[in-house]
Amino acid sequence: MIPAAFEYFSPASVDEALALLREHTDAKVLAGGQSLMPALRLRLAAPETVVDLGKIAELRGVRDDGDALVIGAMTPHSTVQTDPLIGAHTRLISLATATIGDPQIRHRGTFGGSLAHADPAADLPAVAVALDASFVIAGSSGRRTVPAGEFFQGVFSTALDEDELLVEVRVPKYTGWGAHYEKFNRVAQAWSIVSVAAAVRLDGGAIAEARVGLGNMGATPIRATAVEQALVGQPATAEAVRAAAGWAAEGTAPTTDLNGDADYRRHLATVLTRRAVLAAAGTA
């Protein structure tokens, strides 16, 4: 289908983009376009104004900021996937990003665009929650920082106001941690039915710290704190990890749809958590 007519703007700075959003209250923001463009073509969205962030150079790139990495919101997935800083300090992000769509999508889609879209079945939200990422949001009153656990508020709903932009994501360093991303989908390149992001730090063969995030187990990504607590102090063995993974569905609210019912997703969460944690421990 052909999209409905809209007015198009391509600002060169964050301030210019924010001014446009204040002026055009019905505007949609275009990042990589991998979510918005299909919605426009199907007329699931019909904004009068589209603000394209593609020319704002300051929103791209990865930089080291001491105890954290800072990822620009407009950084393409392909750049994130191969960036040496991310590979060295937050490997879980590299692993999850490699599973997004296909190479074409990873070259066009953006890190911040995927997070701001807030699809429960997307790959990056669970990773952001697991790694205690924080989101830097720019608006008319300046910039504010929101923890990942508070950024996602529902299906396609975030802490972003209509006149605000996600400009960068700050991720603590997990240098030396093992990491693995596991997801189950029916066909290649499809949205996950359930996904698990896991990172662990070993100390003398035992799990000293663990981070586990679940995707598509509710309206927002879920931090599997019960699993994390059960893992700490345990040996990185199949038996110990299996016991801890039994808590994976605790506090979740999975939906029932054509891909599987809620009980099926709870079972998948347990299985995938066990696999992800064991694989992460094997790379630590």
Side-chain angles (χ1 to χ4, degrees):
M1 294 177 63
I2 298 174
F6 56 82
E7 193 172 8
Y8 174 83
F9 294 94
S10 183
S13 69
V14 170
D15 288 342
E16 186 181 346
L18 291 174
L20 288 167
L21 293 180
R22 289 194 296 270
E23 180 182 354
H24 303 274
T25 57
D26 65 316
K28 288 289 187 181
V29 173
L30 175 64
Q34 302 309 293
S35 299
L36 180 59
M37 294 308 296
L40 292 176
R41 291 188 62 187
L42 294 172
R43 299 206 177 190
L44 297 174
E48 295 181 5
T49 306
V50 171
V51 178
D52 184 353
L53 306 182
K55 290 184 179 179
I56 306 179
E58 64 185 283
L59 295 181
R60 297 178 183 270
V62 180
R63 73 176 190 273
D64 191 320
D65 192 28
D67 60 353
L69 297 183
V70 180
I71 306 171
M74 285 293 290
T75 307
H77 296 309
S78 57
T79 299
V80 173
Q81 178 185 345
T82 58
D83 186 274
L85 286 173
I86 291 176
H89 301 296
T90 56
R91 184 167 175 265
L92 181 57
I93 293 177
S94 299
L95 297 174
T97 303
T99 72
I100 296 175
D102 53 31
Q104 292 91 332
I105 286 176
R106 292 195 291 274
H107 275 81
R108 290 294 305 170
T110 64
F111 188 76
S114 176
L115 291 167
H117 187 53
D119 189 325
D123 297 292
L124 296 180
V127 175
V129 168
L131 296 182
D132 283 325
S134 56
F135 295 70
V136 180
I137 297 170
S140 57
S141 58
R143 298 195 175 192
R144 60 192 179 100
T145 301
V146 178
E150 299 175 13
F151 180 80
F152 302 102
Q153 299 184 347
V155 179
F156 305 124
S157 176
T158 71
L160 284 166
D161 289 333
E162 291 183 356
D163 61 346
E164 292 183 319
L165 290 174
L166 173 63
V167 293
E168 62 187 29
V169 180
R170 298 180 60 86
V171 186
K173 290 181 178 178
Y174 292 87
T175 313
W177 286 51
H180 189 73
Y181 183 71
E182 189 83 25
K183 72 177 180 180
F184 185 83
N185 46 16
R186 296 180 63 181
V187 296
Q189 302 168 8
W191 297 108
S192 63
I193 297 174
V194 174
S195 63
V196 178
V200 299
R201 181 177 68 84
L202 299 186
D203 185 4
I207 297 175
E209 294 182 83
R211 301 285 186 273
V212 180
L214 306 177
N216 215 10
M217 287 296 289
T220 62
I222 295 171
R223 180 82 173 264
T225 54
V227 174
E228 295 174 358
Q229 294 167 3
L231 286 170
V232 173
Q234 298 299 313
T237 62
E239 182 179 355
V241 171
R242 181 187 297 274
W247 293 96
E250 182 80 8
T252 64
T255 59
T256 293
D257 56 28
L258 293 176
N259 290 315
D261 62 21
D263 286 340
Y264 177 60
R265 282 188 162 90
R266 293 187 186 97
H267 171 71
L268 274 179
T270 301
V271 173
L272 298 182
T273 297
R274 174 177 55 82
R275 293 178 182 174
V277 172
L278 280 173
T283 62

